[in-house]
Amino acid sequence: MKSPPSKLVIGLAFSCISAIFNTGIVDQIALAKSTNPENCDILAYVIDTDPQGLNVRSNASTKSTILGQIPINETVQVVAAAGNWVQITNASDGFEGTGWVFVPKLGLTTQGYGTNGVDLYASTSEQSQKVGRIPANTAVILLGCQGDWAQVEYQGVKGWLAREDQCGAALTSCS
């Protein structure tokens, strides 16, 4: 049979673990350990159709504090990426400051107006293998970013889109 002090220690340990999970600290610890944010410098636009707008959070977690919202089609500057989250700043409307948003809520379109499309690369270099071609002025799924390169998916093909081939404004072709 366990002594009362050992029961107390076990009870305190479970209480601490519960508090860590319930406050979202575990998400922040997991983010810090598993993914160092990657610096980025791209533009994207909000595709979240929630009438309240896209939630901007204090950290890369749905449990983090909501700092504000950004309406659909507004442009944001993406400055970092960590997993399925990106850090944004300079929203064209609805939010001032810097915060984190869930990357599937942002969109990107290709440029290349008047051409036969843009190339999709295997890595963040135009010297890397071309893995596909995307028609001009076509919406793609934004997956992340690195520097001024956007990681995207188009018709099941994932790759990297060079800065000059990206359009981060929803209501224009960026040509």
Side-chain angles (χ1 to χ4, degrees), residues 59-159:
N59 290 299
S61 166
T62 56
K63 295 182 181 178
S64 296
T65 304
I66 296 173
L67 303 173
Q69 286 86 20
I70 305 171
I72 191 168
N73 293 330
E74 295 302 325
T75 301
V76 297
Q77 181 178 4
V78 180
V79 295
N84 289 330
W85 291 84
V86 290
Q87 188 176 39
I88 59 97
T89 191
N90 297 332
S92 57
D93 188 30
F95 176 77
E96 292 183 19
T98 300
W100 291 87
V101 299
F102 193 54
V103 76
K105 303 295 185 177
L106 296 178
L108 194 67
T109 305
T110 60
Q111 286 198 46
Y113 184 76
T115 71
N116 62 350
V118 298
D119 291 319
L120 193 59
Y121 296 93
S123 67
T124 57
S125 166
E126 290 181 354
Q127 278 64 54
S128 70
Q129 178 184 356
K130 293 178 185 174
V131 295
R133 190 148 186 85
I134 305 172
N137 200 27
T138 300
V140 295
I141 298 169
L142 182 62
L143 303 174
C145 53
Q146 183 177 353
D148 62 359
W149 287 78
Q151 187 179 29
V152 301
E153 182 176 345
Y154 176 71
Q155 294 185 337
V157 178
K158 296 177 183 177

Side-chain angles (χ1 to χ4, degrees), residues 44-47 72-75 109 167-174:
Y45 54 87
V46 175
I47 59 173
I72 191 168
N73 293 330
E74 295 302 325
T75 301
T109 305
C167 180
L171 305 175
T172 179
S173 65
C174 294

